[in-house]
């Protein structure tokens, strides 16, 4: 018989706070009590069956400020049943990876009834987040005490509380001891070493661990490009046909590293269990809204929204807006070229060319700063538009958002370089612009993403600690101080911006490698710093993010592969424009174009052959997955035979039963 929540006592006197929920100031008492009951109530009654405690009890409010903060935890049994419901994969005693099942829990490695550490803290927090997000209204028509905050059956209660401003934030609590150990082995000592990816995964979850794994892998993969590119820097820049070999190596390199990454990613995610996690039928994303109805596929009651209306919003509003932004980006680019022309004229007319030589870099620096500002402003607009389009699934929302942002960022960052290369045909200006854009963007990202937030957070921490010093003589405020410090930290918005930064860097390195081979060297230097600054950002600057299971880097794999294809075309075109190659065909440009196109097609064919030859998953992983699939089919087959046998027995048909 399947074990259910209602069959077990999931209450526990040992309370370990895992998640913090903050209510807005002056929330009505009836709303507080209703929410506490909802979180605490049994699943069969529509609750989450979790444990909830106020951070500051009534008797302590005179000593400590009431912060409207609640601690949320769960009993060990509740978390184990939650692990089964979300489909967590754990290692068994026979070293295979299987979906956790409460009834067969003794078969899993490291499990015992008195072991509370079988699930990591990050997994426990993910389970609690899942339960809170799936806390849905039943018969309620509104949030008690707030008639304007409407509810309907199936509506996410937490989402309504957040959009109504009654709940200001929900975030997981740091484990101070585990965090301190992680900091020591991760970034306290700045030296060339591999990251503790398994420890990062245990603490922050698979999605963030995969980002740092990809960052590390990409950085080490850039080293051969940097080493090969450095000697070319000693050659005459104008004879850039010498870079044909370098560009050809770049094209093969960009394909191989992405294919090898997929294999390494499969090995990691199998070991972590996420490669085997089955995606359940996706439920509507919390921000999705519409008229309540019956889903014709699932039969569940949920909001319904016309796909025709969504398409109208996309094609009549979002698409024209994106096109307008692209036009504005090109307009700003032309202003940049006017500034470049002005700087060149001033330099040529100057009596002190040594002094005005620095002026030549000013337009590129200004343009790089403007690009960063435009990228960030457009990101907000893209998020608003994608949310307004009202996509039902989170995957659809992410795909539309990534598409909008990548198209704009690609044009905004690389349009000027394509214009210089193929319209102006000024290789000297191309090298100068590429170097300036790459280095300036790297410096700005380090300042905006890490150093400025870290400085602001340190100032706030000092103020809070001074306030806490006055209370420590009378009451133990260790947990109180930790939560007050953490709740004011910024919220980590996910790996989107981090992957976007690597994507643009990959473009700078691969698109124009035959013109500026030093780009890889600058990228390597930046990424070694980026690993440590991002680690600092995760541990010190932002709140702890909820762990999210992930089996790959998702749509970013396709984005990087697309960029590598574009780089083939770009580098072949640049090589075809070299004066030395043009001298071979002085009378027939058609022959030159045909040869360049033929080489480009041959290189593209080679890329696709390499992608096909190198399997995405190592042989051993393929065998393990096939074995698990076979065992699952056999189990279903045996279950079907058992059900048929029981049915025949009830009907008294013993002879037919014996033939089974």
């Amino acid at each position: 018989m399947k074990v259910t929540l209602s069959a077990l006592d999931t209450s526990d006197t040992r309370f370990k706070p895992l998640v913090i929920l903050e209510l807005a100031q002056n929330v009505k008492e009836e709303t507080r009590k209703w929410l506490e009951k909802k979180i605490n109530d049994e699943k069969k009654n529509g609750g989450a069956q979790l444990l909830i405690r106020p951070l500051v009890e009534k008797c302590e409010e005179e000593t400590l400020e009431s912060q409207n903060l609640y601690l949320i935890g769960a009993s060990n049994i509740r978390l184990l049943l939650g692990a089964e419901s979300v489909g967590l994969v754990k290692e068994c005693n026979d070293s295979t990876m299987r979906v956790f099942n409460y009834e067969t829990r003794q078969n899993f490695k490291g499990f015992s009834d008195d072991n509370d550490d079988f699930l990591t803290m990050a997994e426990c927090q993910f389970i609690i987040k899942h339960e809170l997000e799936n806390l849905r209204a039943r018969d309620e028509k509104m949030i008690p005490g707030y008639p304007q905050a409407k509810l309907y059956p199936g509506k996410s209660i937490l989402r309504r509380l957040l959009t109504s401003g009654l709940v200001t934030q929900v975030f997981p609590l740091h484990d101070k001891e585990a965090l301190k150990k992680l900091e020591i082995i991760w970034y306290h000592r700045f030296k060339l070493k591999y990251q503790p990816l398994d420890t990062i995964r245990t603490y922050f979850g698979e999605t963030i661990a995969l980002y740092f794994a990809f960052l590390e892998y990409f950085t080490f993969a850039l080293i051969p490009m940097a080493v090969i590119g450095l000697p070319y820097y000693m050659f005459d820049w104008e004879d850039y046909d010498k870079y044909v070999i370098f560009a050809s190596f770049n094209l093969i390199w960009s394909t191989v590293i992405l294919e090898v990454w997929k294999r390494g990613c499969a090995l990691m995610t199998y070991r972590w269990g996420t490669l085997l996690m089955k995606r359940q039928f996706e439920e509507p994303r919390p921000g999705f809204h519409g008229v309540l109805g019956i889903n014709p596929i699932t039969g569940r009651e949920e909001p319904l929204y016309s796909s025709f209306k969504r398409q109208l919003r996309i094609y009549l509003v979002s698409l024209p807006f994106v096109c307008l932004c692209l036009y504005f980006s090109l307009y700003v680019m032309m202003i940049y070229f006017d500034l470049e022309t002005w700087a060149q004229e001033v330099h040529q007319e100057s009596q002190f060319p040594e002094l005005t030589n620095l002026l030549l870099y000013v337009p590129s620096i200004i343009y790089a700063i403007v690009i960063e500002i435009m990228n960030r402003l457009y990101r907000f607009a893209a998020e608003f538009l994608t949310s307004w389009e009202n996509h039902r699934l989170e995957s659809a929302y992410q795909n539309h958002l990534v598409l909008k942002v990548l198209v704009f960022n690609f044009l905004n960052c690389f349009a000027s370089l394509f214009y210089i290369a193929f319209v102006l045909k000024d290789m000297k200006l191309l090298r100068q612009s590429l170097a300036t854009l790459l280095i300036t963007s790297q410096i700005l990202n380090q300042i905006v993403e890490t150093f400025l937030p870290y400085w602001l957070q340190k100032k706030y921490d000092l103020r809070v600690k001074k306030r806490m010093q006055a209370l420590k003589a009378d009451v133990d405020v260790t947990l109180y101080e930790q939560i007050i410090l953490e709740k004011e930290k910024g919220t980590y918005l996910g790996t989107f911006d981090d992957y976007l930064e690597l994507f643009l860097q990959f473009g700078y390195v691969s698109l124009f490698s035959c013109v500026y081979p030093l780009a890889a060297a600058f990228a390597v230097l930046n990424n070694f710093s980026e690993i440590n600054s991002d680690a600092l950002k995760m541990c010190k600057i932002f709140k702890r993010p909820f762990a999210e299971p992930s089996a790959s880097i998702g749509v970013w794999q396709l984005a990087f592969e697309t960029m590598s294809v574009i780089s083939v075309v770009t580098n072949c075109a640049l090589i075809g424009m070299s004066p030395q190659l043009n001298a071979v065909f002085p009378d027939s440009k058609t022959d030159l174009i045909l040869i360049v196109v033929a080489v480009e097609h041959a290189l593209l064919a080679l890329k696709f052959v390499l992608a096909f030859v190198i399997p995405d998953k190592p042989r051993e992983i393929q065998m393990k997955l096939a074995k698990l699939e076979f065992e699952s089919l056999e189990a279903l087959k045996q279950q079907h035979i058992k059900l048929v046998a029981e049915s025949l027995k009830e009907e008294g048909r013993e002879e037919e039963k014996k033939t089974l």
Side-chain angles (χ1 to χ4, degrees):
M1 187 179 103
K2 184 174 176 63
V3 179
T4 60
L5 285 168
S6 57
L8 292 169
D9 179 14
T10 55
S11 62
D12 197 337
T13 54
R14 296 172 297 173
F15 179 76
K16 180 182 178 182
L18 295 168
V19 173
I20 308 301
L21 183 145
E22 183 180 15
L23 295 176
Q25 293 292 333
N26 302 318
V27 170
K28 294 179 180 178
E29 190 64 25
E30 62 177 309
T31 308
R32 293 171 185 268
K33 290 181 178 179
W34 172 78
L35 180 59
E36 287 180 29
K37 186 176 185 301
K38 271 288 181 183
I39 292 173
N40 206 209
D41 213 351
E42 293 185 0
K43 292 281 283 185
K44 63 181 181 181
N45 298 328
Q49 209 158 341
L50 301 173
L51 305 175
I52 181 169
R53 306 279 190 277
L55 173 62
V56 179
E57 299 288 352
K58 292 289 184 182
C59 59
E60 297 175 319
E61 289 185 358
E62 294 181 2
T63 308
L64 302 173
E65 296 178 17
S66 178
Q67 297 287 339
N68 291 322
L69 293 165
Y70 287 84
L71 313 175
I72 300 177
S75 67
N76 193 39
I77 295 175
R78 178 68 184 89
L79 291 170
L80 291 172
L81 291 169
E84 180 180 343
S85 68
V86 300
L88 285 186
V89 176
K90 305 293 285 185
E91 186 178 3
C92 292
N93 292 325
D94 59 359
S95 298
T96 60
M97 304 296 293
R98 298 180 188 278
V99 178
F100 179 75
N101 182 277
Y102 184 80
E103 290 181 320
T104 59
R105 58 192 181 278
Q106 299 295 343
N107 296 335
F108 288 86
K109 191 174 182 179
F111 181 86
S112 63
D113 290 324
D114 57 350
N115 179 18
D116 293 341
D117 297 325
F118 174 70
L119 298 174
T120 67
M121 188 175 181
E123 288 171 338
C124 295
Q125 290 167 335
F126 169 69
I127 292 166
I128 289 179
K129 173 178 175 278
H130 177 267
E131 296 299 337
L132 289 174
E133 287 180 344
N134 284 279
L135 190 60
R136 299 187 179 275
R138 285 192 170 183
D139 302 324
E140 300 92 342
K141 303 295 183 184
M142 63 176 187
I143 302 291
Y146 295 91
Q148 72 277 12
K150 302 295 185 184
L151 288 174
Y152 50 79
K155 174 65 180 177
S156 170
I157 291 174
L158 181 62
R159 178 70 185 182
R160 173 57 72 204
L161 289 167
L162 287 166
T163 54
S164 302
L166 300 175
V167 170
T168 56
Q169 59 180 331
V170 180
F171 62 93
L173 196 61
H174 269 298
D175 182 338
K176 294 180 74 173
E177 291 184 9
L179 181 63
K180 189 174 182 179
K181 291 177 183 176
L182 176 60
E183 289 172 350
I184 291 171
I185 61 174
W186 194 4
Y187 69 89
H188 269 191
R189 297 176 182 176
F190 190 88
K191 61 181 180 181
L192 187 64
K193 64 182 186 302
Y194 290 110
Q195 298 176 94
L197 294 175
D198 287 333
T199 311
I200 296 169
R201 174 254 170 181
T202 300
Y203 193 85
F204 287 111
E206 290 80 14
T207 298
I208 289 172
L210 276 176
Y211 161 70
F212 280 102
F214 183 75
L215 174 58
E216 177 182 276
Y217 172 81
F218 182 55
T219 302
F220 281 102
L222 281 168
I223 291 177
M225 287 287 293
V227 170
I228 295 172
L230 285 172
Y232 279 91
Y233 186 70
M234 308 303 295
F235 297 160
D236 185 1
W237 280 107
E238 300 307 320
D239 295 335
Y240 69 97
D241 61 310
K242 294 176 182 177
Y243 302 126
V244 172
I245 298 175
F246 181 76
S248 301
F249 174 77
N250 177 296
L251 302 177
I252 298 171
W253 166 85
S254 63
T255 302
V256 171
I257 66 163
L258 293 174
E259 292 302 316
V260 172
W261 159 254
K262 284 195 280 191
R263 291 171 61 84
C265 181
L267 281 169
M268 273 190 302
T269 52
Y270 178 82
R271 189 174 74 248
W272 294 343
T274 51
L275 189 64
L276 298 171
M277 284 187 73
K278 301 290 184 184
R279 267 199 173 276
Q280 298 174 347
F281 185 82
E282 276 194 88
E283 297 184 358
R285 51 186 290 269
F288 177 66
H289 58 85
V291 179
L292 194 65
I294 302 297
N295 186 311
I297 299 173
T298 64
R300 299 174 184 170
E301 194 174 41
E302 63 177 48
L304 301 177
Y305 187 78
S306 168
S307 59
F308 177 71
K309 289 182 180 179
R310 185 181 301 113
Q311 296 301 318
L312 285 179
R313 290 186 174 193
I314 292 172
Y315 291 109
L316 297 184
V317 179
S318 296
L319 183 60
F321 177 79
V322 171
C323 292
L324 182 65
C325 289
L326 295 178
Y327 172 78
F328 181 73
S329 175
L330 293 175
Y331 181 77
V332 172
M333 181 190 75
M334 299 313 297
I335 295 175
Y336 155 65
F337 287 121
D338 290 340
L339 287 174
E340 281 286 358
T341 304
W342 170 79
Q344 291 282 357
E345 291 174 353
V346 170
H347 177 66
Q348 292 170 2
E349 296 172 0
S350 174
Q351 298 179 353
F352 306 99
E354 295 82 6
L355 295 176
T356 57
N357 198 42
L358 293 174
L359 184 65
L360 296 176
Y361 292 92
V362 172
S364 295
I365 293 172
I366 294 173
Y367 185 50
I369 295 171
V370 170
I371 283 176
E372 287 298 317
I373 294 171
M374 289 170 62
N375 284 346
R376 293 178 186 278
L377 290 176
Y378 177 81
R379 168 72 186 277
F380 290 120
E383 286 179 345
F384 173 79
L385 275 177
T386 311
S387 180
W388 178 72
E389 289 165 6
N390 197 28
H391 296 280
R392 178 182 177 273
L393 302 179
E394 184 65 30
S395 57
Y397 171 84
Q398 289 296 332
N399 289 339
H400 281 79
L401 176 61
V402 168
L403 180 62
K404 288 186 185 72
V405 174
L406 285 188
V407 167
F408 181 81
N409 277 259
F410 183 85
L411 186 77
N412 201 28
C413 294
F414 300 117
S416 61
L417 301 178
F418 280 100
Y419 186 83
I420 295 170
F422 302 113
V423 178
L424 300 181
K425 298 181 181 180
D426 187 340
M427 296 302 116
K428 185 176 180 181
L429 179 58
L430 178 60
R431 289 192 299 273
Q432 175 189 308
S433 298
L434 178 57
T436 307
L437 287 173
L438 176 63
I439 296 169
T440 305
S441 65
Q442 289 175 347
I443 293 172
L444 287 175
N445 281 324
Q446 291 285 357
I447 293 172
V448 173
E449 292 182 6
T450 305
F451 295 113
L452 182 60
Y454 181 72
W455 178 71
L456 293 173
Q457 187 60 43
K458 288 289 286 184
K459 287 185 69 176
Y460 174 78
D461 288 355
L462 286 172
R463 289 200 306 269
V464 172
K465 286 180 179 179
K466 285 179 181 178
R467 202 167 70 214
M468 292 298 112
Q469 289 296 327
L471 298 172
K472 284 189 175 179
D474 302 320
V475 63
D476 181 12
V477 292
T478 306
L479 179 62
Y480 179 82
E481 179 183 351
Q482 179 188 348
I483 293 171
I484 297 302
L485 285 171
E486 288 184 22
K487 85 180 188 70
E488 294 299 332
K489 289 182 178 181
T491 301
Y492 182 66
L493 300 176
T495 55
F496 186 98
D497 288 330
D498 297 314
Y499 279 120
L500 180 61
E501 186 179 342
L502 289 179
F503 172 78
L504 297 176
Q505 185 188 90
F506 182 66
Y508 286 129
V509 170
S510 62
L511 289 177
F512 305 98
S513 59
C514 63
V515 176
Y516 191 62
L518 275 183
F522 282 117
V524 169
L525 293 174
N526 173 78
N527 287 0
F528 278 123
S529 172
E530 185 81 14
I531 288 172
N532 288 274
S533 62
D534 281 354
L536 174 70
K537 178 173 71 177
M538 296 304 305
C539 295
K540 290 291 188 184
I541 296 174
F542 291 117
K543 297 183 186 76
R544 183 180 187 174
F546 280 104
E548 289 290 344
S550 182
S552 68
I553 62 173
V555 70
W556 291 105
Q557 180 77 36
L558 178 61
F560 278 87
E561 289 171 355
T562 304
M563 182 69 83
S564 70
V565 171
I566 297 172
S567 72
V568 172
V569 181
T570 304
N571 282 281
C572 286
L574 286 172
I575 292 169
M577 288 168 55
S578 68
Q580 288 76 11
L581 195 59
N582 275 265
V584 179
F585 302 92
D587 301 322
S588 179
K589 298 299 180 186
T590 304
D591 291 345
L592 174 60
I593 293 171
L594 289 174
I595 289 174
V596 170
V597 171
V599 170
E600 174 253 330
H601 277 62
L603 288 171
L604 283 176
L606 177 61
K607 282 178 68 68
F608 291 124
V609 168
L610 285 171
F612 177 77
V613 169
I614 302 174
D616 292 350
K617 297 181 181 69
R619 177 74 175 167
E620 59 177 304
I621 299 297
Q622 293 180 23
M623 294 293 290
K624 288 177 179 178
L625 293 175
K627 183 179 178 182
L628 285 172
E629 186 176 358
F630 173 76
E631 289 176 357
S632 297
L633 291 173
E634 283 295 303
L636 287 173
K637 183 179 176 181
Q638 292 299 324
Q639 186 179 10
H640 176 70
I641 292 174
K642 184 179 178 181
L643 289 172
V644 173
E646 289 177 354
S647 176
L648 291 174
K649 183 179 179 180
E650 289 176 1
E651 295 176 10
R653 296 155 66 183
E654 292 295 331
E655 291 299 323
E656 290 185 36
K657 177 186 171 184
K658 291 177 182 177
T659 62
L660 290 175

